[in-house]
């Protein structure tokens, strides 16, 4: 029987002998790197954004390549690291020619696949279907509900968020959409408008002017208690949250589909007579200046356009003496503002002028909008419209 002291001395001697064998020149295997491998290792060792562990491994491999007769102890002293690290990555390079870590199994799984599947299914359902009075789930609410289910373990909101991120599920986000209720009626009204969009430039050369007209209603003039401060480094534009209402205006505008020019007029009320005045004084005047014989007016189903009164107005224009401009009206389908090009320009007006809102009076607001139209027309160009009648027919083909 060996004593405890004798066993300790033998263990130390064995450990020392083993280290000597590993660090001896006879146990070293030479590394011969190709030109591409040397270049790759140099990039890893010298790049500022390379992780330190990866850069150290590249230095080890390069040093072994440059000094094939050095042992691991000498290389470790040169690089200021442990000799075991040198031996490890020397062997790893000989086996795999890679500096990356080997795949790891990770920590033992805490939750079963069934529990994860149940949480994922819960996230893909509406909260009210489970008796929870919420419109949509959040990570915290999911964790709270899971904790209340006896069949499921307690799972943190962070773990649930990691699972949902891996599955690309975000129940806290939503968007609205519309189904086409009457496909035949929708197609009957939309196709002529889409054909006009496609042929607008050719029709303009033949004397037919395609115009989208609509109103942007209730544009408020709000005078902030403090004027917006300009942007400075590290700070965005600041807008005062307190303001005084100075009134509201309605903007009636028309967009020339062929060239992108916009024509507008502000009114204090929203009536058909105001829309009729805009058509007569603004659009018709521009049509005469352009030498137009026919104006194709694209409208939505808003109450301002008053289809019955507009029909009488259209008849008056078309039965007028020679020299007048013929008016053709094309009605968009119901709930189809996405087919109206003027709505795209209204969004530009909202983002570039109306927000943030700071106007001392309606007169100032009106002048700002007219100046915006003038500035926009200096670089106006037709909208890039890619939705065609063929695409619409293909989309509605299964519903017809």
């Amino acid at each position: 029987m060996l004593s405890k002291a004798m066993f300790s001395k033998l263990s130390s001697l064995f450990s020392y002998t083993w280290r000597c064998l590993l660090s001896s020149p006879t146990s070293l295997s030479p590394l011969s790197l190709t030109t591409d491998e040397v270049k790759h290792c140099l990039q890893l060792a010298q790049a500022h954004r390379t992780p330190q562990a990866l850069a150290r491994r590249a230095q080890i491999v390069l040093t072994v390549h440059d000094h094939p007769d050095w042992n691991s102890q000498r290389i470790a002293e040169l690089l200021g690291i442990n000799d075991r690290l040198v031996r490890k990555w020397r062997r790893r390079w000989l086996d795999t020619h890679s500096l990356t870590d080997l795949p790891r199994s990770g920590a033992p799984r805490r939750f079963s696949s069934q529990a994860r599947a149940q949480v994922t299914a819960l996230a893909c359902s509406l909260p009210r279907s489970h008796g929870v009075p919420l419109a949509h789930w959040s990570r915290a609410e999911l964790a709270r509900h899971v904790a209340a289910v006896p069949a499921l373990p307690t799972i943190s909101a962070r773990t649930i968020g990691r699972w949902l991120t891996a599955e690309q599920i975000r129940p806290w986000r939503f968007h609205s959409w519309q189904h086409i209720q009457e496909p035949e009626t929708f197609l009957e009204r939309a196709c002529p408008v889409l054909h006009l969009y496609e042929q607008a430039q050719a029709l303009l050369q033949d004397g037919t002017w395609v115009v989208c007209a609509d109103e942007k209603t209730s544009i408020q003039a709000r005078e902030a208690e403090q004027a917006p401060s300009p942007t400075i480094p590290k700070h965005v534009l600041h807008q005062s949250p307190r303001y005084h209402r100075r009134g509201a205006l309605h903007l009636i505008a028309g967009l020339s589909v062929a060239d992108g020019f916009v024509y507008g007029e502000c009114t204090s009320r929203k009536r058909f007579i105001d829309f009729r005045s805009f058509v007569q004084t603004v659009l018709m005047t521009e049509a005469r200046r352009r030498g137009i014989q026919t104006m194709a007016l694209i409208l939505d189903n808003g109450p301002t356009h008053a289809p019955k009164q507009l029909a009488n107005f259209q008849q008056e224009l078309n039965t007028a003496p020679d020299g007048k401009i013929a008016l053709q009206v094309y009605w968009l389908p119901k709930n189809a503002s996405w087919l109206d090009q003027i709505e795209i320009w209204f969004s530009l007006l909202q983002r570039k002028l109306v927000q943030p809102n700071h106007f001392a009076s309606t007169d100032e607001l009106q002048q700002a909008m007219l100046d915006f139209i003038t500035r926009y027309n200096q670089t106006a160009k037709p909208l890039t419209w890619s939705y065609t009648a063929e695409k619409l027919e293909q989309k509605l083909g299964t519903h017809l």
Side-chain angles (χ1 to χ4, degrees):
M1 294 292 293
L2 294 175
S3 64
K4 187 175 182 180
M6 183 64 68
F7 181 79
S8 178
K9 289 182 180 180
L10 289 176
S11 299
S12 300
L13 180 62
F14 176 77
S15 177
Y16 173 77
T17 305
W18 178 250
R19 286 199 303 269
C20 291
L21 289 174
L22 290 177
S23 60
S24 62
T26 57
S27 64
L28 298 179
S29 300
L31 294 182
S32 57
L33 304 180
T34 63
T35 304
D36 293 338
E37 290 175 342
V38 171
K39 183 178 179 180
H40 177 63
C41 290
L42 282 174
Q43 290 178 347
L44 293 177
Q46 298 174 359
H48 295 288
R49 295 189 177 183
T50 303
Q52 288 299 309
L54 191 59
R56 189 181 299 112
R57 299 166 191 174
Q59 291 175 350
I60 292 173
V61 173
L62 287 173
T63 306
V64 174
H65 171 72
D66 295 336
H67 306 282
D69 56 336
W70 285 15
N71 58 19
S72 299
Q73 185 68 31
R74 187 172 181 182
I75 295 174
E77 292 176 357
L78 176 66
L79 300 179
I81 57 177
N82 194 289
D83 60 332
R84 289 177 296 178
L85 189 64
V86 176
R87 292 194 297 271
K88 172 183 177 180
W89 287 104
R90 188 170 190 165
R91 291 192 300 269
R92 182 73 59 79
W93 181 266
L94 288 173
D95 295 338
T96 64
H97 283 266
S98 174
L99 300 177
T100 58
D101 292 319
L102 293 177
R104 300 179 181 179
S105 60
R109 181 178 295 180
R110 293 181 55 192
F111 304 104
S112 63
S113 301
Q114 292 78 6
R116 179 170 179 173
Q118 288 177 326
V119 173
T120 303
L122 182 65
C124 294
S125 62
L126 294 177
R128 294 177 183 175
S129 63
H130 300 277
V132 180
L134 296 173
H136 50 79
W137 292 112
S138 66
R139 286 179 284 261
E141 293 293 346
L142 278 170
R144 180 180 177 183
H145 183 71
V146 167
V149 177
L152 292 175
T154 301
I155 307 174
S156 66
R158 187 173 182 179
T159 300
I160 292 177
R162 187 170 63 251
W163 290 352
L164 298 182
T165 300
E167 300 293 340
Q168 297 183 356
I169 299 174
R170 293 174 290 182
W172 47 86
R173 297 191 63 179
F174 65 93
H175 74 276
S176 59
W177 79 97
Q178 286 188 353
H179 288 299
I180 297 176
Q181 302 293 340
E182 301 176 356
E184 295 181 358
T185 305
F186 191 95
L187 193 65
E188 181 181 353
R189 282 195 173 189
C191 283
V193 174
L194 294 175
H195 287 309
L196 286 176
Y197 288 165
E198 293 182 53
Q199 306 168 7
Q201 296 182 359
L203 291 173
L204 184 60
Q205 296 177 357
D206 295 337
T208 300
W209 188 30
V210 182
V211 180
C212 294
D214 201 359
E215 305 85 25
K216 184 172 177 60
T217 60
S218 299
I219 306 175
Q220 295 192 24
R222 300 175 180 174
E223 184 181 9
E225 291 186 355
Q226 296 179 351
S229 61
T231 302
I232 59 177
K234 298 182 180 181
H235 293 278
V236 298
L237 184 147
H238 286 177
Q239 172 74 9
S240 173
R242 298 183 178 89
Y243 58 87
H244 302 281
R245 298 180 185 272
R246 303 304 185 190
L249 289 177
H250 308 288
L251 174 65
I252 305 176
L255 171 69
S256 176
V257 178
D259 47 32
F261 284 95
V262 176
Y263 309 91
E265 184 178 65
C266 295
T267 62
S268 58
R269 300 182 64 180
K270 188 176 65 173
R271 302 172 299 176
F272 171 75
I273 189 173
D274 299 315
F275 176 73
R276 174 174 176 167
S277 174
F278 168 73
V279 174
Q280 282 183 317
T281 60
V282 179
L283 295 183
M284 288 296 180
T285 301
E286 177 63 20
R288 295 188 188 96
R289 189 190 67 81
R290 291 174 176 247
I292 298 300
Q293 290 83 36
T294 304
M295 181 170 63
L297 192 61
I298 300 174
L299 301 173
D300 62 9
N301 297 270
T304 309
H305 305 148
K308 293 183 180 180
Q309 300 181 49
L310 185 61
N312 297 332
F313 173 56
Q314 180 182 2
Q315 186 177 2
E316 292 176 8
L317 290 176
N318 294 339
T319 58
D322 295 339
K324 297 296 182 179
I325 300 173
L327 180 63
Q328 296 178 355
V329 178
Y330 294 83
W331 296 100
L332 288 165
K334 294 181 179 180
N335 303 321
S337 59
W338 56 277
L339 287 177
D340 198 348
Q341 290 193 7
I342 190 64
E343 296 291 347
I344 300 176
W345 184 85
F346 281 154
S347 68
L348 294 176
L349 174 70
Q350 180 72 22
R351 288 183 283 111
K352 293 188 175 184
L353 177 67
V354 182
Q355 292 179 338
N357 193 315
H358 178 66
F359 302 99
S361 63
T362 54
D363 293 336
E364 182 180 341
L365 174 61
Q366 176 177 343
Q367 188 60 45
M369 288 191 291
L370 296 179
D371 292 342
F372 178 82
I373 292 175
T374 302
R375 178 182 176 84
Y376 179 85
N377 287 337
Q378 292 175 358
T379 57
K381 56 183 179 180
L383 298 177
T384 303
W385 189 267
S386 60
Y387 199 79
T388 61
E390 289 74 15
K391 291 183 179 180
L392 180 61
E393 291 175 353
Q394 184 178 4
K395 177 179 180 180
L396 298 180
T398 57
H399 302 283
L400 294 176

